[in-house]
Amino acid sequence: MVKAMLYGFFKTKALGWTAIAVLLAIWQAGVSSGLVTSPELPGPVHLMDVWYHELLDQTLATELIKTLGWTLSGFGLAVIFGVSIGIVMGCSRIANGLLEPFVELIRPVPISALIPLVILFVGIGFKMKLFVALLGAVFPVLINTWSGVRGVSSTLRETATTFGLNWVQSVTQVYFPAASPAVFTGLRLGLATALVITVVSEMIAGSSGVGFYILSSQQSLGVDQMYAGLITLALVGYGLNAIFVLIERWTLFWAMPDVRSV
Amino acid sequence: MKHVRGLLDGEARPDDGRILDPLGSIFVHNISKIYESRRGAVAALAPVTFDVASGDLVAIVGQSGCGKSTLLRMIAGLVNPSAGTIRIGTQKYKGAPPSVRYVFQDYASSLFPWKTVDENLQFGIRHSAPGAQIEDVDAECRRLRTLIALPDIGQRYPWELSGGMQQRVAIARALAAQPKIILLDEAFSSVDALSRSKLQDMTRTLWRQLGTTILFVTHDVEEAVYLANRILVLGPRGGGIIADIASNLPMARTQIETRESLEFLAMRRELINLIQA
């Protein structure tokens, strides 16, 4: 019984969460005992208190809503473009031959390096943030959709053919569902990248958002607020991923070996 | 070419004696396949000509690489022939003929893992062959599940079933479309021996009940003899048809008695000699 519980503990995320709790406790103990006195490293209890109040008095909450708004809008556009182009590239050799060099040429360029170029064309307003988030998310979505559709087994493709499905029916009823685990991985990566790149764009050329909040706090010696911004980003990133994991377990259970083996 | 007997006459008829649909007949005329590669042209199948009467149950056997799967895939419209024509009923088709359904060897990749058994069957019903008449989809799913002797698995997913059960569902999904012709490509070779025997018996029973034309490819000589009313033997390395043999086994067959009968053993010997010659 004890052995089974220990085995379960070491096999699950409980191990990682315990390690985090231990590290935070050591950090807090160091600050409380006076061993750590650096103003750059306040204790975690104090930081959580600051974070809570910053969120409550809406300074941080307002910035967070803006960041999330740009991230999700850019991500939404990236899903539309990435999934549809990925499907077309995965299904059509001509489209693949035409578009693959474009994708392979632009993809390796760090999206943050493209921010100055985007500013040049659309200025530093919301269009820039939207476009940058779109650029950040579109490649993971597109490439995963593309490889997912290309990876659909020939038997499944031929099943669609022998049942007389036309192109649209094949895509919607066979290729897309079969590729959906890969598409979903792309969505997860795309959303995470969109959040990162939105924050970077706020730091480089923004006047609002969590990225701007973190940078301006650091520049005006608001170390506590800077940490509060970082905590917010960590929690938002974790929360978004957790939502994706839930949706994945709910809709794509058929593709999960651990569920299938039950 | 050794021609023992031509198209079967009164024998290959369903039990209910109804008139068989002309769309269930296959006419293959001088069909061949040549693959172009960097090293030059490779003949996958020399020109072959044969007919399959509506409602017949015909096997194609031969060594690996003889072109039997290529031939079946050309009839299904999955591979374009290099030359020759194929007619289903009176019509020539480019692509997949609407009254033909294909059952793959790889059942695990052919069934949709994101759909339950009933949803897989509903897919077959939704994409049915022309002239299919299905009014109550749920009742049709129940009927199909009963046909394959798996009445209680409607809500299960394919990956929750054994290999033999999955292949039975794949056959039921093909039948769901009410096709005139079913093509089976090594459909029983990926399941265990016991499931294989059950699938063979189920196939013959369904064929006798429904009267659907069945053309199947197998590398297993005994399977061909046990199941088919007529066997086409392909020569090695795409050599075309070297024999067309009509079965003299009785319509009602059982795994033990039929396989032990002198007729069965004689046919088996004849086929092995032909294939290994």
Side-chain angles (χ1 to χ4, degrees):
Chain A
M1 178 74 182
V2 175
K3 203 175 164 186
M5 279 174 71
L6 277 176
Y7 184 71
F9 177 78
F10 283 111
K11 286 266 283 188
T12 62
K13 287 180 192 165
L15 183 65
W17 285 115
T18 311
I20 290 171
V22 169
L23 284 175
L24 286 173
I26 293 170
W27 177 8
Q28 184 59 45
V31 174
S32 303
S33 63
L35 281 173
V36 179
T37 53
S38 166
E40 286 86 30
L41 200 62
V45 172
H46 171 70
L47 287 178
M48 286 312 288
D49 187 49
V50 173
W51 174 75
Y52 179 68
H53 282 98
E54 285 287 307
L55 215 57
L56 268 194
D57 75 9
Q58 293 187 357
T59 347
L60 192 49
T62 317
E63 304 303 338
L64 175 62
I65 288 166
K66 285 178 185 166
T67 300
L68 273 181
W70 293 319
T71 301
L72 293 176
S73 312
F75 174 71
L77 289 174
V79 172
I80 296 168
F81 288 115
V83 171
S84 43
I85 297 171
I87 285 176
V88 171
M89 282 177 74
C91 292
S92 155
R93 283 189 190 167
I94 296 171
N96 190 45
L98 176 71
L99 296 172
E100 189 178 352
F102 286 94
V103 173
E104 292 302 339
L105 208 60
I106 303 170
R107 189 170 64 106
V109 180
I111 302 303
S112 46
L114 291 173
I115 295 175
L117 181 74
V118 176
I119 293 174
L120 203 64
F121 280 95
V122 298
I124 56 165
F126 83 96
K127 277 191 208 161
M128 182 273 280
K129 283 166 188 143
L130 192 71
F131 198 67
V132 163
L134 162 66
L135 274 179
V138 80
F139 288 105
V141 174
L142 190 156
I143 284 161
N144 279 281
T145 306
W146 172 28
S147 83
V149 174
R150 270 204 313 192
V152 174
S153 73
S154 57
T155 309
L156 220 46
R157 288 172 185 266
E158 289 178 347
T159 299
T161 307
T162 56
F163 275 92
L165 271 65
N166 61 33
W167 192 83
V168 175
Q169 288 171 328
S170 296
V171 168
T172 55
Q173 295 179 34
V174 180
Y175 299 174
F176 184 74
S180 56
V183 176
F184 209 83
T185 304
L187 297 187
R188 257 167 89 168
L189 292 173
L191 185 57
T193 317
L195 180 63
V196 169
I197 208 70
T198 303
V199 171
V200 171
S201 72
E202 288 164 353
M203 286 178 160
I204 293 178
S207 54
S208 58
V210 180
F212 174 76
Y213 175 90
I214 290 171
L215 193 67
S216 60
S217 301
Q218 188 261 335
Q219 286 168 345
S220 59
L221 300 177
V223 175
D224 292 351
Q225 283 73 22
M226 183 196 78
Y227 275 107
L230 288 174
I231 293 168
T232 308
L233 285 183
L235 292 177
V236 165
Y238 185 85
L240 289 176
N241 193 55
I243 292 170
F244 262 76
V245 170
L246 276 178
I247 298 172
E248 195 172 17
R249 290 197 81 84
W250 183 47
T251 57
L252 298 175
F253 58 91
W254 55 269
M256 295 179 176
D258 56 330
V259 176
R260 287 176 66 151
S261 63
V262 169
Chain B
M1 188 179 95
K2 183 175 179 176
H3 192 103
V4 178
R5 203 157 77 188
L7 296 179
L8 291 177
D9 32 35
E11 255 184 336
R13 291 291 180 265
D15 290 351
D16 61 8
R18 73 189 132 97
I19 299 163
L20 291 159
D21 196 313
L23 269 179
S25 50
I26 306 167
F27 301 92
V28 174
H29 185 70
N30 264 338
I31 202 146
S32 63
K33 183 66 189 176
I34 296 165
Y35 286 108
E36 298 293 340
S37 74
R38 282 181 192 168
R39 291 181 191 169
V42 180
L45 185 66
V48 294
T49 297
F50 65 95
D51 301 342
V52 175
S54 184
D56 209 347
L57 175 46
V58 178
I60 302 172
V61 291
Q63 290 178 4
S64 288
C66 70
K68 53 190 189 296
S69 278
T70 304
L71 176 57
L72 202 70
R73 292 166 65 78
M74 287 194 285
I75 296 169
L78 296 172
V79 170
N80 289 325
S82 303
T85 51
I86 296 170
R87 277 191 294 123
I88 304 297
T90 53
Q91 288 195 8
K92 289 179 195 167
Y93 289 98
K94 199 170 166 64
S99 56
V100 176
R101 289 296 177 271
Y102 196 92
V103 178
F104 297 85
Q105 177 182 356
D106 186 6
Y107 49 81
S109 297
S110 164
L111 290 173
F112 304 126
W114 59 90
K115 288 180 187 283
T116 61
V117 167
D118 269 1
E119 287 165 350
N120 267 286
L121 298 178
Q122 284 159 12
F123 174 88
I125 295 168
R126 252 199 335 273
H127 300 287
S128 56
Q133 288 177 338
I134 300 153
E135 282 166 12
D136 185 342
V137 173
D138 291 337
E140 182 64 8
C141 286
R142 276 198 299 279
R143 188 183 75 84
L144 289 162
R145 278 189 268 118
T146 312
L147 273 182
I148 56 166
L150 292 170
D152 303 320
I153 55 151
Q155 298 312 308
R156 304 267 289 275
Y157 284 89
W159 36 271
E160 294 177 303
L161 308 173
S162 70
M165 289 159 95
Q166 287 185 49
Q167 193 58 296
R168 278 194 261 174
V169 175
I171 291 171
R173 187 180 64 180
L175 288 171
Q178 299 192 354
K180 307 291 182 276
I181 298 165
I182 288 191
L183 307 174
L184 304 170
D185 185 5
E186 299 276 10
F188 313 139
S189 45
S190 296
V191 299
D192 61 275
L194 193 62
S195 302
R196 190 173 184 152
S197 301
K198 282 185 183 169
L199 278 165
Q200 289 166 349
D201 288 333
M202 188 194 84
T203 304
R204 254 198 95 77
T205 309
L206 286 176
W207 168 74
R208 294 188 74 185
Q209 281 177 10
L210 305 172
T212 312
T213 311
I214 297 178
L215 180 60
F216 72 100
V217 156
T218 180
H219 64 272
D220 181 346
V221 168
E222 290 194 14
E223 184 170 88
V225 175
Y226 181 71
L227 263 183
N229 295 331
R230 181 180 163 212
I231 301 165
L232 300 172
V233 185
L234 295 191
R237 294 179 297 282
I241 297 175
I242 56 169
D244 183 345
I245 301 171
S247 173
N248 49 11
L249 296 178
M251 274 291 122
R253 299 175 192 181
T254 61
Q255 290 285 353
I256 294 173
E257 282 157 22
T258 307
R259 283 174 187 269
E260 285 175 349
S261 69
L262 291 175
E263 293 89 347
F264 182 92
L265 295 172
M267 274 188 80
R268 177 176 170 272
R269 189 179 309 118
E270 186 184 0
L271 277 172
I272 291 173
N273 285 336
L274 277 167
I275 291 169
Q276 289 181 344

